[in-house]
Amino acid sequence: MLHSVINHSTDLKRLWDEGLEIEIIGGFLLVHHVPYVNKNKEVKYGILVSTLNLAGNVTVRPETHVIHFKGDNPCQKDGSVIEAIQHDNSRKDLGNKIVINHSFSNKPAGGYSDYYEKVTRYIDIISAPAKSLDDTVTEKTFNFILSNDPESVFNYPDTNSGRAEINSISQKLENLKIAIIGVGGTGSYILDFVAKTCVKEIHLYDGDIFLQHNAFRAPGAPSVEELKKRKSKADYLNGIYSKMHRGIISHDGYLDSSNVEELTRMDFVFTCFDEGEVKKSLLAILEKNKIPFIDVGIGLEKNENQLLGIIRVTTSTESKRNHVKNRIPLSDDNDNEYSTNIQIAELNALNAALAVIKWKKLCGFYQDLEKEHCTVYSINVSQLLNEDIAA
């Protein structure tokens, strides 16, 4: 990844060619071995850290002029702090084992045109006192760094978490194995959201073919040519989201007695299908193996040429499971309008969003004060209710 971005980005390649020790980790550009003077008038070396703005594997104009620094606060030759660039002097964990001590601000008119200009400008300011004390001091070591970033689950860096400085929070989802059972309407949107996280594996289970009606209730917009290929839903969606996430595994066919034991290796399961009798036995296996899960559902009915109904998200964890039989339909209901494939994309998306938000709460990504295990949204009154609160 490091060499790919450098080879396609003239600003980074220029830094590299001039001998700077640059590294790319988790959406950040790191510049090592930056000389500076500390308060004791000693020459030390720190690391500049900048959020990285990319379009694919090519840098684009830096979004912010602010830069971070790992090390002591850089000083003038007399040991006084370089006041002109001071911005924030609090220690922050940016994730990916990147901990910074300071942030600096130096904004030229119009901002920085590229990362070469940004990095070299800050080095000029920070390193000038050190170079005046010792003319052998330099940031240009030609000791090139090969990225030691662990193999990412993404095909390109997550610069979104980097720019928001939430990498350390996002990493709470690392190494998880997630299963999504049913990737038609709501399940496909759950995949859309989970594929943008750093979970290790996402397993898709669905035996249906992706047909034309599915195109109107799933993310994206397939072409006629793609629809004619009649791929399974799991394979079709895998083809889309594997462009971003490397850990997506599609399983053709339905879950049954021959493969249901695969779920015992999962850390979390989303159940997104309606067959009640099948769901009853599947949830029993999840509960027996102490696997947390979220079940989603939508109930719609026609009334005076309009639709009304509810969206439901039911969570089951070790802290609360006794509500499941009262919340999740575990028998086949042919009277439910939803069972006749009345699905609306925005309701599927909302159902999925509520489910993924709850899952992230369980992982510690979002704060969870209510600890609700069932959430119901009533469409016609726009009311969201939290119920079945865990002790």
Side-chain angles (χ1 to χ4, degrees):
M1 176 59 69
L2 175 62
H3 290 291
S4 175
V5 175
I6 289 175
N7 289 336
H8 291 85
S9 304
T10 56
D11 50 354
L12 298 189
K13 191 172 188 306
R14 190 175 176 188
L15 292 171
W16 177 275
D17 290 342
E18 291 185 6
L20 277 75
E21 298 182 16
I22 63 175
E23 185 177 20
I24 297 172
I25 298 178
F28 291 96
L29 171 66
L30 281 67
V31 184
H32 296 260
H33 201 81
V34 176
Y36 68 98
V37 175
N38 67 8
K39 64 181 181 181
N40 298 319
K41 307 177 188 178
E42 301 168 322
V43 175
K44 298 291 183 180
Y45 294 90
I47 303 173
L48 284 172
V49 181
S50 174
T51 55
L52 195 58
N53 212 15
L54 293 173
N57 60 354
V58 181
T59 57
V60 295
R61 187 186 182 95
E63 184 183 41
T64 176
H65 66 280
V66 174
I67 204 164
H68 307 299
F69 188 71
K70 182 176 182 179
D72 300 325
N73 209 337
C75 297
Q76 306 286 3
K77 288 192 299 182
D78 62 2
S80 61
V81 171
I82 302 176
E83 294 290 349
I85 60 173
Q86 296 301 302
H87 177 257
D88 181 36
N89 292 309
S90 57
R91 182 181 183 276
K92 290 183 180 179
D93 185 343
L94 302 181
N96 298 101
K97 300 181 180 179
I98 304 172
V99 178
I100 56 99
N101 307 102
H102 309 279
S103 296
F104 303 137
S105 173
N106 180 264
K107 186 177 183 180
Y112 292 104
S113 60
D114 60 23
Y115 286 95
Y116 180 87
E117 182 184 6
K118 180 178 181 179
V119 167
T120 55
R121 178 56 181 152
Y122 276 104
I123 289 177
D124 286 345
I125 297 171
I126 293 169
S127 299
K131 291 177 180 178
S132 67
L133 289 176
D134 183 350
D135 60 10
T136 67
V137 166
T138 181
E139 69 280 3
K140 299 176 181 180
T141 66
F142 291 89
N143 294 325
F144 299 124
I145 295 175
L146 296 178
S147 179
N148 60 358
D149 195 19
E151 183 69 18
S152 174
V153 296
F154 296 115
N155 288 315
Y156 40 84
D158 175 13
T159 54
N160 182 62
S161 293
R163 70 192 290 186
E165 298 184 5
I166 59 169
N167 272 339
S168 60
I169 299 175
S170 297
Q171 286 168 7
K172 293 180 179 182
L173 309 176
E174 278 184 337
N175 299 318
L176 295 179
K177 295 182 179 180
I178 307 298
I180 305 174
I181 306 173
V183 287
T186 301
S188 61
Y189 282 98
I190 289 178
L191 170 61
D192 184 88
F193 300 142
V194 176
K196 296 175 174 68
T197 72
C198 59
V199 297
K200 184 177 182 179
E201 295 177 5
I202 308 171
H203 293 258
L204 312 180
Y205 292 89
D206 200 311
D208 290 343
I209 301 298
F210 191 88
L211 298 174
Q212 192 158 320
H213 64 276
N214 299 120
F216 288 89
R217 61 194 195 198
S223 65
V224 172
E225 289 72 23
E226 288 174 312
L227 291 172
K228 287 180 179 179
K229 292 178 181 178
R230 294 177 57 84
K231 289 185 177 181
S232 70
K233 290 178 182 176
D235 283 346
Y236 167 74
L237 292 167
N238 190 341
I240 294 173
Y241 290 96
S242 62
K243 296 174 184 176
M244 181 182 205
H245 199 293
R246 297 172 179 167
I248 300 175
I249 301 106
S250 55
H251 302 263
D252 290 338
Y254 302 100
L255 277 169
D256 55 30
S257 58
S258 68
N259 61 356
V260 71
E261 287 300 316
E262 294 176 10
L263 296 181
T264 62
R265 299 195 296 269
M266 303 298 161
D267 297 298
F268 199 91
V269 174
F270 292 94
T271 56
C272 315
F273 64 99
D274 296 314
E275 292 80 0
E277 294 298 331
V278 175
K279 186 179 291 187
K280 183 176 181 180
S281 58
L282 187 149
L283 298 188
I285 292 173
L286 295 178
E287 290 182 350
K288 178 182 177 181
N289 289 276
K290 300 181 180 181
I291 298 172
F293 63 85
I294 286 178
D295 182 79
V296 296
I298 303 176
L300 293 177
E301 63 181 49
K302 296 176 183 176
N303 182 29
E304 297 181 356
N305 205 33
Q306 293 179 318
L307 294 177
L308 59 88
I310 63 169
I311 295 171
R312 173 187 55 80
V313 174
T314 303
T315 306
S316 177
T317 66
E318 280 299 282
S319 63
K320 187 169 183 62
R321 295 198 190 273
N322 60 359
H323 63 301
V324 167
K325 61 181 180 297
N326 298 321
R327 296 296 184 185
I328 301 176
L330 297 177
S331 61
D332 296 327
D333 180 10
N334 294 325
D335 294 328
N336 187 344
E337 291 283 351
Y338 194 68
S339 66
T340 62
N341 286 328
I342 295 181
Q343 298 190 40
I344 312 298
E346 61 270 18
L347 298 183
N348 289 134
L350 178 58
N351 203 185
L354 292 173
V356 172
I357 289 171
K358 180 58 187 179
W359 165 64
K360 285 187 172 182
K361 283 184 178 181
L362 296 175
C363 296
F365 185 97
Y366 293 120
Q367 186 180 56
D368 189 359
L369 298 180
E370 286 286 302
K371 293 181 170 41
E372 76 286 350
H373 275 55
C374 188
T375 295
V376 177
Y377 174 72
S378 298
I379 298 168
N380 59 353
V381 293
S382 192
Q383 187 176 50
L384 191 68
L385 296 176
N386 287 337
E387 301 177 304
D388 298 323
I389 308 300

